Amino acid sequence: MLVKLVKPVRVILISDRYLNQQKGLPRVPVPPLRKTCEGYLSALEPIIEEDEWKRAKQLVEAFMKRGGVGEELQRSLERKACNTDNWTTDLWGKLEYFGNRSPVVINANVPIACPRLDFRDKQGQISETLPAENLGGKPLCMEQYSQLLSTCRIPGLERDSVVFHAKIGNPPKHITVAYNSQFFVVEVYHNDGTPLTVDQLCVQMESICTSTSETNTEPVGILTTLDRDSWSKAYLSMKDQTNKESLSAIERSIFTLCLDRAIPRESDKYVTCDFHLITHGGGSQWNSANRWFDKSLQIIVAEDGSWGLNLIHIVADGTVSMALTDYLVASMKKPEMRQASILPLPMPQKLHFHVTPDIKEIIEQAKRSMDRNIQNFDLSVLVFDHFGKNYLKAHNMSPDAFIQMAIQLAYYRMNKQVCASYEAVSQRMFRRGRVSLLLSTTSVSAAFVKAFDDPQKQNTEKIDLLEKAIKTHKENIKAVIGGHDIVAHIIALRLQAVENKLPMPDIFRDISYKKILNYQFAASQVTSNTGSVGVHQVDENSGYSLCYSVHNSHFIIEMATSNTHKRLNTRHLIQNMKDALLDMRALLEQAPRAT
């Protein structure tokens, strides 16, 4: 591997003055009980049978009656919310970010594939701070940015934790570099506090790439691909001083730079091999061990120009991760203006591990498990260039809602049924706000997809149903942004019953509760300004995951699933989605509305 692959960067994500706006952000409210219960019933109606809905309605009415158990749980949740900055973030942290024991690879981390580089020029260096963000003139929570560097997920026997090393004592001044499944510490600051220049960092990378001849060392990084229970047991067994020092160096580092071998590629602009590389490394024979998947930020660069980021979801959502990516891509084009220091460069230090026979056996287990998970990982990418945001805006259509309706139509055409689905919606207008869930299947969207291919329905009626579905979707998104998360509220009420050791209310024991959480697709918009594309995390127990970006004249749609039972097919669904988008456009053109 040549030194020209390296794109060294220095990142100061966010300055203190931008964090000052945190103090003025409101806490996310606990929604009114009746409003959530009514929204819950409305969301259930299109996805369950009529007799199931009638029973659910009775249970919900009993749950929220005056003086009933619902009011008791609501008061308990309201008391809890008064003692935390954000009760929904705490909820998802407990259930998903820290409590989920599936491997973080594919299932939890946030991969972003970036446009390929040609490596003809050495790129610039980031030396500014991110601007504070706003939505509709209202400030957004910037906390996630402050947690992206020098942070690491730590495996635990029952629950994982996360450590923010930049907030403990002296902030780390080194990065880790992964090359040939080995790890190196590279100091990126001189003793006088000045950062290394791009040229100096290139010298350090060249030193690593030319001096690494050992290939018989155990690929310890593959352990981070295991399920969390297996990895935590292995982690706790690595007790000797050598292992502790090496683990600490990786965990404390500002970020990890992974210098990869290229995996076989295709000729498309957005080739699926790039997405596989950034998501999981390609397998144990390629780059899956050339990672530390618990690091908050991994910058991955392959020798053929493929590159991207892999971030842990614990600290950052997709939109924040993409904003960082766009910032990095844009900043790489800026020339470096600093003079190189005359101070001598410290040599990169290789990290060593003492691998016992038991750990070696677990490493082999991790290789098999990773390769099996990759075999079950089904991913497709569609660059839809027939129209984009401008066309839909001209028809007074919300691009996001239009795409959501196309997904529902595609799924209905394939399966002849309506299913539970959700869209991730940001609540960063609140203190410590993260993403919340919008239940995107509604009675009006169900009516639209059922009517679309019905020859008995007139085009004007179909367009009317589409407009109603889009209007409802927009209203629901606005409600979630404003703090009304039906899913989080209902789950939190159930957990209050558990925490207070109360008998479980019938509403949570009913089949309807299980069905509303058994979504068949999760589809979220994460748009890039630089051509980068996100990969949605895959829930191995559910259906499809989609991540799409919206542009003036095209859409990019990434779709993935964990196809353990071979019943799902992303290529089939993504082709149906393309057809749905084209058919919906044809509908608009056949029966144009007055402007």
Side-chain angles (χ1 to χ4, degrees), residues 335-350:
E336 182 176 41
M337 304 302 293
R338 295 186 299 108
Q339 291 283 339
S341 171
I342 60 173
L343 296 173
L345 296 179
M347 290 296 294
Q349 298 297 311
K350 181 181 175 180

Side-chain angles (χ1 to χ4, degrees), residues 105-209:
V105 187
I106 297 175
N107 301 296
N109 280 14
V110 180
I112 298 175
C114 300
R116 287 187 175 230
L117 299 168
D118 58 20
F119 297 133
R120 288 175 298 186
D121 302 306
K122 293 178 180 176
Q123 300 297 324
Q125 170 177 29
I126 298 173
S127 59
E128 311 125 42
T129 55
L130 286 169
E133 296 175 344
N134 293 272
L135 178 64
K138 295 182 179 180
L140 297 179
C141 179
M142 301 289 285
E143 182 185 57
Q144 293 180 48
Y145 290 108
S146 69
Q147 300 175 349
L148 281 168
L149 301 180
S150 304
T151 298
C152 198
R153 180 173 182 153
I154 307 298
L157 287 178
E158 295 183 357
R159 294 175 59 79
D160 288 359
S161 58
V162 62
V163 180
F164 305 104
H165 290 283
K167 301 179 181 180
I168 303 175
N170 294 325
K173 296 182 180 180
H174 71 277
I175 66 171
T176 45
V177 177
Y179 180 65
N180 277 347
S181 302
Q182 300 171 63
F183 293 89
F184 302 81
V185 167
V186 176
E187 299 292 336
V188 292
Y189 290 91
H190 292 288
N191 290 334
D192 63 359
T194 59
L196 272 64
T197 65
V198 171
D199 287 339
Q200 290 174 325
L201 284 171
C202 284
V203 170
Q204 301 293 67
M205 298 306 115
E206 185 174 28
S207 173
I208 291 172
C209 294

Side-chain angles (χ1 to χ4, degrees), residues 25 53 123 126 147 213 281 315 342 344 376 403 410 575 582:
L25 294 175
W53 190 83
Q123 300 297 324
I126 298 173
Q147 300 175 349
S213 57
V315 299
I342 60 173
N376 292 329
I403 291 174
Q575 180 59 49
L582 291 172

